[in-house]
Amino acid sequence: IMLTYKTNQQNIKRYLFYQVLSILCLILVLFVCHFAFPKYHILKPSSFWIIGIASFIGLIVELNRERVFEISFNHDRQEMIFTYKSHMFSKLKNYTLQYQIAKVEKNEDTSFIKWLKKPLTIYFYKNKTEVFEVSKKKDGFSGNVLNEIYKTCEQISLETKHT
């Protein structure tokens, strides 16, 4: 029996487009403020270089993050199969994790301030080594699907931890 969970975010390009757009909007607002109110000297010209370089580095980090697109549970072979990309321009790859050596940790932030909250994240370990981190923001799985994945891990008697 095979149980499969797929991401809602198959095309990560739209997500990255919005990231770039938000960075450009921030730089544009700072640029307009700088020239609209020249006597206040909100930013020095070198600040634009620093903001631009930091934004570019952030974009490169986002492009190189590992993204999981599908998680399958094969009960007959006692294994989980992760379909992922190691970076945006790579091909889809598969990684198999045997139930016997798998550990799962669910991290759910309970912060009162919404924008400081870390979204629901599930960590998959091979023995004590983290193999994958799966979250809504990075991978596009909904909160309900992430909870279903965790419940499936509990049902098949994997070592689980909720923090």
Side-chain angles (χ1 to χ4, degrees):
I1 299 171
M2 188 92 139
L3 181 59
T4 302
Y5 297 98
K6 293 185 180 187
T7 182
N8 297 334
Q9 189 174 329
Q10 289 290 340
N11 190 351
I12 200 70
K13 291 176 186 171
R14 183 182 313 146
Y15 168 75
L16 291 174
F17 172 74
Y18 287 124
Q19 292 280 94
V20 170
L21 191 62
S22 65
I23 291 168
L24 291 176
C25 286
L26 173 68
I27 291 173
L28 181 65
V29 166
L30 292 173
F31 192 72
V32 168
C33 288
H34 180 73
F35 288 106
F37 308 105
K39 72 178 192 179
Y40 295 111
H41 297 291
I42 297 169
L43 294 174
K44 298 182 188 255
S46 61
S47 301
F48 290 103
W49 283 103
I50 293 169
I51 292 169
I53 290 170
S55 300
F56 181 72
I57 290 170
L59 184 63
I60 296 299
V61 167
E62 278 298 315
L63 286 172
N64 286 320
R65 289 185 81 182
E66 211 167 53
R67 289 183 169 41
V68 176
F69 291 96
E70 184 178 291
I71 301 173
S72 299
F73 293 87
N74 187 335
H75 298 306
D76 297 333
R77 297 179 68 191
Q78 298 283 303
E79 63 187 13
M80 287 183 276
I81 303 161
F82 296 87
T83 303
Y84 72 100
K85 281 187 174 187
S86 57
H87 57 84
M88 184 176 170
F89 304 109
S90 70
K91 294 180 180 180
L92 286 174
K93 300 175 184 176
N94 287 325
Y95 180 85
T96 303
L97 182 59
Q98 299 295 320
Y99 288 173
Q100 296 86 358
I101 56 174
K103 295 178 182 171
V104 181
E105 181 180 328
K106 177 179 170 184
N107 188 340
E108 202 166 10
D109 194 352
T110 57
S111 176
F112 293 110
I113 304 170
K114 186 175 183 177
W115 51 271
L116 283 178
K117 243 181 164 178
K118 185 177 179 185
L120 171 65
T121 306
I122 299 178
Y123 300 92
F124 292 90
Y125 296 91
K126 179 179 183 179
N127 295 321
K128 294 182 180 181
T129 306
E130 183 181 315
V131 180
F132 288 104
E133 171 188 331
V134 181
S135 69
K136 179 179 180 178
K137 182 180 177 185
K138 181 178 70 77
D139 303 297
F141 289 94
S142 70
N144 291 337
V145 171
L146 288 171
N147 281 319
E148 286 180 33
I149 291 169
Y150 187 75
K151 285 177 187 172
T152 302
C153 292
E154 287 178 323
Q155 289 169 354
I156 57 176
S157 300
L158 293 182
E159 185 178 329
T160 56
K161 181 180 176 186
H162 187 162
T163 57

